[in-house]
Amino acid sequence: EIVMTQSPATLSVSPGERATLSCRASQSVSSNLAWYQQKPGQAPRLLIYGASTRATGIPARFSGSGSGTEFTLTISSLQSEDFAVYYCQQYNNWPRAFGQGTKLEIK
Amino acid sequence: QLQLQESGPGLVKPSETLSLTCTVSGGSISSSSYYWGWIRQPPGKGLEWIGSIYYSGSTYYNPSLKSRVTISVDTSKNQFSLKLSSVTAADTAVYYCARHGSGGGYPLPNWFDPWGQGTLVTVSS
């Protein structure tokens, strides 16, 4: 079973600045990785799939990179609506697994 | 626009069976390109994939829950359902249903998009 580990648990960043979130897999998942954004009281929303492809309607300030075991989600210039919890999810192996999440908060 | 909506009891007693249904609108659950999945989130915690089903009835389950989980599909109603038996307080969570796959003509259960709004199920006597 693949374990997904996200860091940091909480990230404090000022609006307009860049945020970098990390996700590590316990074994290679190739590029079979997705990122989700979840705001309080809402369902998760797909941001990125294939490690680096933005989902439909996702702003260009969101970008994903990485392959194998190390992945990064970068938000280039934080907007107020970006402060949320972010999850990664691998779909290379069964069972499908999520990371524990990174909370992005306003500094 | 595809929409998913969870429904079912919000309170279940310990040792009983949790039953939820996801109704799909704006598209057919019988699409050959997608699986349909259940994910849960305990209060204040992260996401856990429970299992997924294809319209033909083919299923994948999380081994951590497999002994207690049954997922079924009713194509005539455009619905799929979750049953989780012998529940305890640890099963208290928001339960989400979601489309599981990327389309493209071949059913690859990869990412989840879109999701239902979720329903809170509390296990308590």
Side-chain angles (χ1 to χ4, degrees):
Chain A
E1 178 173 332
I2 295 178
V3 176
M4 307 301 293
T5 303
Q6 293 185 241
S7 62
T10 303
L11 182 62
S12 299
V13 183
S14 300
E17 294 189 340
R18 173 189 296 256
T20 302
L21 290 68
S22 296
C23 175
R24 173 177 293 179
S26 60
Q27 64 188 76
S28 177
V29 298
S30 187
S31 294
N32 296 317
L33 185 105
W35 288 94
Y36 301 85
Q37 176 193 67
Q38 187 179 33
K39 297 180 180 180
Q42 296 185 16
R45 175 176 69 146
L46 178 69
L47 296 176
I48 300 282
Y49 60 88
S52 61
T53 303
R54 282 189 301 277
T56 302
I58 302 303
R61 64 180 182 273
F62 290 90
S63 62
S65 63
S67 65
T69 62
E70 301 284 344
F71 300 88
T72 300
L73 175 69
T74 301
I75 311 171
S76 59
S77 178
L78 281 164
Q79 307 296 304
S80 58
E81 62 266 30
D82 300 335
F83 293 95
V85 179
Y86 292 84
Y87 294 93
C88 60
Q89 177 235 327
Q90 69 82 17
Y91 50 90
N92 195 67
N93 291 70
W94 295 101
R96 302 311 192 220
F98 295 87
Q100 82 280 16
T102 291
K103 182 179 180 180
L104 181 58
E105 64 176 26
I106 300 174
K107 187 174 182 180
Chain B
Q1 180 183 357
L2 190 78
Q3 293 186 318
L4 297 91
Q5 178 69 57
E6 306 88 350
S7 59
L11 181 64
V12 181
K13 289 182 168 57
S15 80
E16 295 190 344
T17 296
L18 177 160
S19 296
L20 296 174
T21 295
C22 181
T23 300
V24 178
S25 59
S28 174
I29 203 169
S30 300
S31 167
S32 61
S33 301
Y34 297 100
Y35 277 72
W36 304 88
W38 288 98
I39 305 101
R40 71 179 183 178
Q41 184 173 38
K45 297 187 178 181
L47 301 163
E48 179 181 33
W49 170 70
I50 300 170
S52 298
I53 191 165
Y54 192 54
Y55 79 94
S56 64
S58 173
T59 54
Y60 289 97
Y61 294 135
N62 192 323
S64 67
L65 297 167
K66 186 174 182 177
S67 64
R68 299 194 291 130
V69 171
T70 302
I71 297 176
S72 58
V73 63
D74 186 336
T75 56
S76 67
K77 295 181 179 179
N78 227 32
Q79 296 176 333
F80 62 107
S81 298
L82 168 70
K83 291 188 184 297
L84 180 65
S85 64
S86 304
V87 297
T88 70
D91 295 310
T92 294
V94 175
Y95 286 76
Y96 297 100
C97 60
R99 187 175 65 180
H100 192 184
S102 53
Y106 188 80
L108 293 173
N110 35 39
W111 54 85
F112 299 94
D113 179 54
W115 298 54
Q117 66 183 31
T119 187
L120 175 63
V121 179
T122 301
V123 178
S124 175
S125 56

